[in-house]
């Protein structure tokens, strides 16, 4: 069925609380139409079976090539190269989130693995979901040695929407894996993060110190970066000497000689002590360092103000602090960075300039969602010492060599704040869902877990809870949790929680001083369903600007629109059916640039039949259309619209999944968009009562945060609007977060300034 025709029939759908389940050419069974909605049952995804973990390992590997290792029965092991084929490599690359394999390697090209050789004589067809479904000799049955370990080379292109939970990036196989700072007893401040102390490295038998002979500030910089701190600072060694000389030290490492740009100590030249000689460090003592935290992790608020972070670089779309798509500001407009040659060195420059440590991961293929604006940089090649990505060598971009599906992103090292220790979830069916419990202490200092009142608990609060739990994005915030196991419930200890959405912990949100909850039972306790990915809707601003016009529409064509509340109040007083309404019309194209499909919250069983246009209402409000004057007051009654959501079209290589016709599933697939043409009924703002002048036109998608998104700051789109009484123009249409603060202020002033000129 032709979508635009269907959309026109459904058109009336841009109304308060409307969902259209299917195209109107289909006749509606009246029984469905009149049936009452049933209560919504538990809306949660079924638990996913644990996927086989696969990783790329060895040296010299890249993010898309390396020795294959599988995690089976609690142990990492390799695959033997006997009978290996490109089809095997396809299956493995697919599993790792790449579109295909370009090759495979034999004879331990990336070095020999350790432990088990899990599979041998593997023969895949190529289409298997996982290597475990391919023919082989069976787990652990092999006559190979590690000299025959197989590797793969994957095409450096991510599967759109790929969830990377099973990809484990191994930083290094050197013996130095983990590093910590041990504060010295007595001098230790209890507060987190720990910024100063003795450097300790983990080795197989525990933690050991580093002999500081020849230790440099560059070494300190590397360790600080690993621990989530952008800079090093001086430390008074004498202060520690006396104490440390009395300690029994175990010097595992010495002669560390970093250049300062390494993202891990293991990448620095260093030497290990021989066993049985580990307590000698002639002329030295254990390395002690001090790091400067970024403003986000700084306790001292005086210092916090002095710390500067870049204002022309930002991270967008990440679930946690220190992760997201890299965006840079040029000529007052934010744009993205292309992932060609994107690596840990460049990513670390970005992390540090934003007040985080070095980079943990340099992500390619828009793994933190896609941007909408310009793409400014390609082939960024930082050396590591730069103060900003803006100082790094880059190539100019052309539209042929980069698309937003290649947007670069980072995961930065952030300091350990221990925030996850004071929150937990219970009662859910998977580890991603449950009633939220927080740890509180009474005046006597006794700590106990307790529930949160479900009243007014919504998506933003759930976002903070999921972030604090380390579980990613909020899929849903639940106000009732009666359907979950309530055998061991605790008392309610928190109520009135109200978050902005960007807090790192619930304790940073507003909440009542004393618990006040009308329905203080566990079944009305706040719950969350968290998710590693989320959708992200954005309106195409340039299309709005290009398609705007005025239509004087005769009243006799507007009966349904009136019934659906698409006209302003004064329409009620008109002399129906004579006369007309003046409508401001434009097209809306809504893209899902996130990492999960956007789906209405309510299932179709709760959609309510609407007689006039013959369609269903479901989600109360999907968009707001408003016209604002210079002081931000709404002058044209914005109507609240709901759509029939579907994939009108998609980026190359992505297939449509949702359609309104024939009771189809509704939603917008990642990488697809839904188009509402300017000539659809109700796709307008009624400006009959508006005087000529300058205004701001605003569209807000998902305004009540009803459906989870990874980023709500890009949900508003605004235009300057000039109306001379006959014609209308839009200028400067842009997404809410696309401009610099300064440019946004200038934009907001536009109506006032021009009003003055006109009058
Ligand atoms: C280390 O010392 C222990 C006894 O202290 C001894 O048994 C062991 O053989 C020594 N190892 C080496 C490598 O010298
Ligand atoms: C990149 O573009 C800028 C202007 O946008 C220009 O000044 C510069 O010379 C270009 N660099 C290269 C290598 O083409
Ligand atoms: C705190 O301790 C005092 C004295 O030990 C006791 O009377 C009081 O009940 C305690 N309060 C709480 C909230 O446990
Ligand atoms: C409830 O608590 C008891 C005792 O602590 C424990 O044995 C049981 O497993 C718990 N039940 C659930 C569902 O967590
Ligand atoms: C937005 O609309 C404009 C104008 O129709 C079009 O050229 C552009 O490709 C659209 N942007 C995206 C990301 O689809
Ligand atoms: C905003 O402007 C409207 C008329 O344009 C006026 O009635 C209203 O009082 C103004 N509000 C403020 C807060 O200035």
């Amino acid at each position: 069925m032709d979508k635009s025709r269907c959309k026109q029939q459904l058109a009336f759908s841009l109304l308060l609380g409307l969902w259209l389940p299917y195209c109107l050419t289909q006749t509606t069974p009246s029984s469905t139409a009149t049936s009452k909605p049933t209560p919504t049952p538990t809306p949660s995804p079924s638990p996913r079976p644990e996927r086989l973990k696969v990783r790329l390992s060895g040296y010299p590997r890249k993010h898309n090539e390396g020795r294959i290792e599988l995690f089976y029965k609690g142990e990492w092991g390799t695959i033997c190269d006997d009978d290996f084929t490109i089809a095997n490599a396809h299956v493995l690359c697919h599993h790792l989130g790449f579109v295909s394999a370009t090759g495979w390697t034999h004879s331990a090209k990336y070095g020999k693995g350790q432990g088990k050789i899990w599979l041998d004589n593997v023969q895949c067809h190529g289409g298997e979901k996982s290597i475990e479904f391919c023919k082989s000799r069976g787990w652990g049955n092999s006559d190979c040695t590690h000299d025959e370990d197989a590797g793969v080379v994957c095409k450096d292109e991510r599967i759109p929407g790929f969830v990377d939970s099973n990809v484990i990036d191994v930083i290094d196989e050197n013996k130095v894996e983990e590093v910590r700072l041990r504060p010295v007893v007595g001098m230790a401040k209890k507060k987190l993060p720990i910024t100063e102390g003795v450097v300790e490295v983990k080795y197989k038998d525990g933690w050991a110190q580093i002999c500081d002979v020849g230790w440099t500030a560059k070494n300190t910089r590397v360790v600080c970066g690993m621990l989530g701190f952008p800079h090093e600072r001086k430390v008074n060694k004498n202060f520690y000497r006396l104490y440390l000389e009395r300690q029994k030290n175990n010097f595992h490492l010495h002669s560390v000689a970093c250049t300062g740009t390494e993202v891990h100590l293991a990448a620095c030249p260093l030497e290990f002590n021989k066993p049985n000689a580990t307590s000698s460090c002639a002329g030295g003592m254990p390395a002690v360092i001090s790091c400067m935290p970024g403003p986000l992790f700084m306790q001292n608020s005086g210092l916090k103000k002095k710390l500067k972070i870049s204002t022309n670089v930002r991270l967008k779309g990440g679930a946690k602090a220190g992760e997201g798509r890299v965006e840079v500001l040029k000529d007052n407009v934010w744009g993205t960075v292309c992932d060609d040659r994107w690596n840990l060195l460049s990513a670390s420059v970005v992390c540090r300039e934003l007040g985080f440590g070095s980079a943990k991961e340099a992500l390619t293929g828009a793994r933190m969602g896609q941007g909408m604006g310009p793409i400014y940089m390609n082939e960024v090649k930082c050396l590591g010492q730069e103060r900003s990505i803006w100082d790094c060598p880059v190539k100019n971009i052309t539209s042929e060599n980069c698309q937003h599906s290649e947007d670069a992103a980072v995961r930065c090292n952030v300091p350990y704040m221990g925030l996850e220790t004071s929150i937990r979830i219970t009662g859910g069916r998977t580890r991603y869902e449950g009633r939220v419990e927080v740890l509180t202490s009474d005046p006597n200092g006794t700590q106990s877990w307790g529930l949160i009142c479900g009243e007014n608990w919504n998506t933003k609060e759930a976002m903070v809870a999921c972030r604090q739990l380390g579980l990613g994005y909020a899929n849903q915030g639940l106000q009732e949790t009666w359907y979950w196991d309530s055998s061991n419930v605790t008392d309610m200890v928190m109520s009135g929680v109200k978050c902005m959405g960007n807090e790192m912990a619930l304790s940073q949100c507003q909440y009542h001083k004393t618990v006040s909850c009308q329905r203080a039972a566990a079944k009305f306790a706040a719950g969350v369903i968290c998710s590693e990915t989320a959708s992200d809707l954005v309106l195409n601003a340039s299309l709005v600007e290009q398609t705007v016009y005025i239509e004087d529409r005769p009243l006799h064509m507007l009966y349904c629109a009136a019934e659906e509340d698409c006209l302003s109040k004064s329409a009620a007083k008109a002399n129906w059916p004579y006369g007309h309404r003046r409508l401001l019309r434009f097209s809306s194209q809504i893209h899902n640039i996130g990492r999960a499909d956007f789906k209405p919250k309510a299932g179709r069983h709760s959609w309510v039949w609407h007689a006039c246009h013959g369609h269903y209402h479901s989600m109360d409000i999907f968009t707001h259309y408003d016209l604002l004057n210079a002081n931000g007051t709404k002058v044209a009654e914005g109507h609240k619209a709901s759509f029939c959501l579907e994939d009108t079209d998609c980026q190359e290589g992505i297939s449509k999944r949702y359609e309104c016709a024939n009771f189809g599933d509704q939603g917008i697939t990642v990488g697809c968009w839904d188009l509402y043409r300017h000539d659809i009924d109700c796709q307008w703002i009624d400006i009959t009562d508006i005087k000529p002048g300058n205004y701001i036109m605003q569209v807000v998608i998902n305004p009540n945060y009803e459906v989870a998104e990874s980023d709500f700051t890009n949900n508003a789109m605004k235009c300057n609007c000039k109306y001379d009484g006959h014609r209308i123009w839009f200028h400067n249409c842009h997404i809410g977060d696309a401009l610099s603060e300064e440019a946004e202020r200038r934009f907001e002033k536009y109506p006032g300034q021009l009003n003055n000129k006109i009058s």
Side-chain angles (χ1 to χ4, degrees):
M1 146 109 21
D2 173 41
K3 146 99 188 208
S4 64
R5 259 180 49 220
C6 176
K7 266 281 161 71
Q8 287 189 28
Q9 292 170 326
L10 300 180
F12 332 116
S13 69
L14 304 181
L15 300 171
L16 181 65
L18 263 212
W19 282 100
L20 289 175
Y22 55 84
C23 191
L24 294 182
T25 47
Q26 158 121 356
T27 38
T28 312
S30 56
S31 61
T32 321
T34 51
S35 70
K36 283 224 182 93
T38 46
T40 319
T42 326
S44 50
S46 51
R48 261 182 297 163
E50 202 63 40
R51 271 193 99 191
L52 177 72
K53 287 198 178 91
V54 178
R55 70 181 182 187
L56 293 174
S57 165
Y59 193 82
R61 66 164 201 288
K62 291 199 236 153
H63 69 280
N64 60 330
E65 62 173 87
R67 182 175 67 240
I68 278 292
E69 297 195 353
L70 310 174
F71 193 71
Y72 183 72
K73 296 228 164 119
E75 206 181 321
W76 286 103
T78 61
I79 303 182
C80 180
D81 61 15
D82 290 350
D83 291 343
F84 209 86
T85 64
I86 189 79
N88 297 358
H90 278 312
V91 171
L92 289 160
C93 286
H94 243 208
H95 197 111
L96 289 161
F98 296 96
V99 291
S100 62
T102 57
W104 59 278
T105 65
H106 55 85
S107 312
K109 176 176 172 202
Y110 301 98
K112 294 193 270 185
Q114 285 178 339
K116 290 269 189 335
I117 296 168
W118 275 129
L119 295 176
D120 189 7
N121 302 102
V122 181
Q123 284 168 307
C124 304
H125 295 293
E128 291 89 347
K129 273 227 159 74
S130 168
I131 194 89
E132 63 206 294
F133 304 126
C134 301
K135 238 173 72 183
S136 77
R137 295 165 66 131
W139 288 100
N141 185 4
S142 154
D143 56 5
C144 301
T145 67
H146 280 297
D147 289 321
E148 297 160 82
D149 283 343
V152 293
V153 182
C154 303
K155 184 157 186 235
D156 191 6
E157 191 183 327
R158 284 268 156 196
I159 297 169
F162 178 72
V163 183
D164 54 313
S165 62
N166 61 329
V167 180
I168 307 211
D169 271 297
V170 196
I171 297 256
D172 209 287
E173 298 209 299
N174 208 322
K175 291 185 188 80
V176 180
E177 280 183 9
E178 236 181 289
V179 173
R180 72 175 183 191
L181 277 189
R182 185 170 51 84
V184 169
V185 183
M187 300 174 191
K189 296 181 199 94
K190 271 208 165 162
K191 274 186 185 160
L192 289 172
I194 297 166
T195 58
E196 185 169 313
V198 179
V199 184
E200 298 194 326
V201 294
K202 196 173 187 181
Y203 71 112
K204 69 179 196 318
D205 298 324
W207 294 89
Q209 292 79 40
I210 303 177
C211 179
D212 76 346
V213 174
W215 186 264
T216 65
K218 288 173 178 168
N219 296 346
T220 304
R221 178 179 160 86
V222 171
V223 176
C224 288
M226 287 176 73
L227 296 170
F229 305 110
H231 306 291
E232 66 281 7
R233 53 184 171 191
K234 280 227 168 72
V235 63
N236 184 351
K237 266 168 63 171
N238 291 332
F239 194 64
Y240 287 89
R241 189 181 303 274
L242 264 178
Y243 171 83
L244 290 173
E245 273 169 4
R246 273 185 274 124
Q247 292 257 302
K248 188 179 174 297
N249 294 306
N250 174 10
F251 294 103
H252 188 54
L253 280 180
H254 66 91
S255 308
V256 179
C258 306
T259 64
T261 59
E262 295 87 350
V263 295
H264 199 287
L265 197 59
C268 302
L270 46 80
E271 285 171 36
F272 291 91
N273 281 324
K274 292 196 183 69
N276 289 10
T278 54
S279 54
S280 69
C281 174
M285 62 180 249
V288 174
I289 66 164
S290 181
C291 306
M292 177 70 101
L296 206 51
F297 309 99
M298 170 73 79
Q299 306 286 354
N300 176 334
S301 52
L303 254 175
K304 202 170 187 159
K305 277 186 205 135
K306 279 195 215 147
L307 289 175
K308 288 222 173 71
I309 59 166
S310 287
T311 51
N312 55 3
V313 177
R314 69 181 182 188
L315 300 182
K316 293 284 290 183
K320 299 174 202 165
E323 64 176 49
R325 179 174 66 249
V326 178
E327 296 198 351
V328 291
L329 185 68
K330 183 169 148 184
D331 301 332
N332 287 310
V333 179
W334 288 97
T336 59
V337 174
C338 189
D339 66 6
D340 292 353
R341 289 177 184 260
W342 183 242
N343 64 18
L344 284 171
L345 274 185
S346 302
S348 291
V349 169
V350 169
C351 288
R352 287 190 195 259
E353 70 175 308
L354 292 173
F356 306 107
S358 46
K360 193 158 54 182
E361 283 181 82
L363 304 168
T364 56
R367 278 162 73 193
M368 292 284 173
Q370 304 185 13
M372 274 294 272
I375 304 172
Y376 286 134
M377 297 180 180
N378 190 18
E379 300 200 11
V380 179
K381 278 183 277 185
C382 304
L383 301 173
Q385 274 112 0
E386 296 87 348
R387 299 176 75 108
S388 169
I389 188 176
W390 281 108
D391 303 333
C392 300
V394 299
K395 261 205 184 151
N396 281 352
I397 208 87
T398 62
S399 54
E400 295 97 64
N401 54 26
C402 263
Q403 298 174 339
H404 280 300
S405 56
E406 298 163 71
D407 282 344
V410 294
R411 278 205 184 99
C412 305
N413 287 313
V414 296
Y416 178 70
M417 301 297 286
L419 296 171
E420 77 286 1
T421 58
S422 54
I423 188 168
R424 67 181 189 190
I425 46 177
T426 57
R429 296 159 305 171
T430 70
R431 72 178 200 91
Y432 282 92
E433 65 175 39
R435 287 187 197 89
V436 181
E437 294 191 35
V438 288
L439 193 60
T440 53
S441 29
D442 66 15
N444 291 355
T446 315
Q447 291 198 315
S448 57
W449 290 99
L451 295 167
I452 299 176
C453 180
E455 284 152 27
N456 297 317
W457 176 266
N458 290 311
T459 306
K460 284 187 171 184
E461 288 71 34
M463 280 167 78
V464 177
C466 290
R467 178 176 304 131
Q468 189 179 353
L469 286 158
L471 294 180
Y473 304 99
N475 192 319
Q476 263 176 58
L478 304 164
Q479 302 190 349
E480 295 182 11
T481 48
W482 47 266
Y483 31 77
W484 281 336
D485 177 36
S486 52
S487 38
N488 285 340
V489 292
T490 53
D491 290 337
M492 227 162 245
V493 295
M494 204 180 202
S495 67
V497 184
K498 196 165 189 276
C499 304
M500 311 268 290
N502 59 1
E503 295 89 345
M504 289 200 288
L506 287 174
S507 58
Q508 294 164 4
C509 300
Q510 286 180 24
Y511 53 90
H512 292 153
K513 287 238 155 55
T514 54
V515 178
S516 135
C517 188
Q518 304 221 324
R519 301 190 296 178
K523 59 183 176 180
F524 300 117
V528 288
I529 301 174
C530 304
S531 168
E532 284 175 39
T533 56
S535 65
D536 188 15
L537 297 190
V538 175
L539 192 66
N540 183 341
S542 53
L543 185 66
V544 171
E545 187 163 328
Q546 285 171 20
T547 54
V548 65
Y549 64 99
I550 284 176
E551 182 192 358
D552 289 329
R553 196 167 174 84
L555 280 176
H556 68 82
M557 295 170 75
L558 289 170
Y559 278 102
C560 265
E563 198 173 314
E564 302 287 11
D565 234 2
C566 296
L567 302 174
S568 62
K569 281 210 183 80
S570 66
K573 293 181 227 129
N575 180 25
W576 292 78
Y578 308 106
H580 65 267
R581 302 299 294 177
R582 177 155 287 196
L583 307 174
L584 167 58
R585 313 203 67 158
F586 54 90
S587 296
S588 295
Q589 193 178 53
I590 298 170
H591 296 249
N592 182 358
I593 60 171
R595 300 241 297 118
D597 293 354
F598 185 93
K599 292 209 227 170
K601 192 167 170 183
R604 66 177 77 178
H605 52 268
S606 59
W607 298 343
V608 183
W609 180 249
H610 225 245
C612 178
H613 285 132
H615 55 216
Y616 285 93
H617 287 205
S618 142
M619 191 172 167
D620 256 3
I621 297 162
F622 180 61
T623 53
H624 281 178
Y625 294 164
D626 292 307
L627 207 60
L628 316 174
N629 71 6
N631 66 17
T633 310
K634 285 181 192 175
V635 288
E637 258 166 61
H639 66 266
K640 297 156 184 154
S642 178
F643 296 128
C644 149
L645 293 181
E646 68 177 5
D647 297 324
T648 308
D649 213 340
C650 301
Q651 284 168 19
E652 218 182 303
I654 299 175
S655 38
K656 302 186 199 176
R657 236 176 302 175
Y658 301 100
E659 61 170 0
C660 301
N662 306 321
F663 252 125
D665 238 5
Q666 287 194 28
I668 307 177
T669 306
V670 179
C672 300
W673 56 87
D674 195 0
L675 175 66
Y676 304 90
R677 280 171 49 115
H678 53 82
D679 51 2
I680 295 179
D681 207 22
C682 286
Q683 172 66 16
W684 62 58
I685 300 177
D686 180 351
I687 57 164
T688 310
D689 308 320
I690 303 302
K691 293 191 189 70
N694 295 296
Y695 301 93
I696 287 176
M697 201 286 286
Q698 177 179 282
V699 176
V700 187
I701 309 169
N702 193 14
N704 297 344
Y705 313 107
E706 216 174 294
V707 177
E709 293 186 45
S710 55
D711 187 357
F712 285 110
T713 58
N714 57 14
N715 282 35
M717 195 280 321
K718 291 179 178 183
C719 303
N720 287 137
C721 170
K722 178 175 157 68
Y723 175 43
D724 69 1
H726 307 286
R727 285 161 302 171
I728 205 152
W729 295 268
F730 281 175
H731 302 277
N732 305 327
C733 289
H734 66 279
I735 297 159
D737 65 344
L739 303 184
S740 68
E741 281 177 39
E742 182 207 333
E744 188 65 29
R745 273 196 299 275
R746 246 185 289 138
F747 168 85
E748 299 279 352
K749 274 196 203 143
Y750 168 96
Q753 281 170 351
L754 271 117
N755 271 338
N756 294 343
K757 265 187 223 158
I758 282 171
S759 55

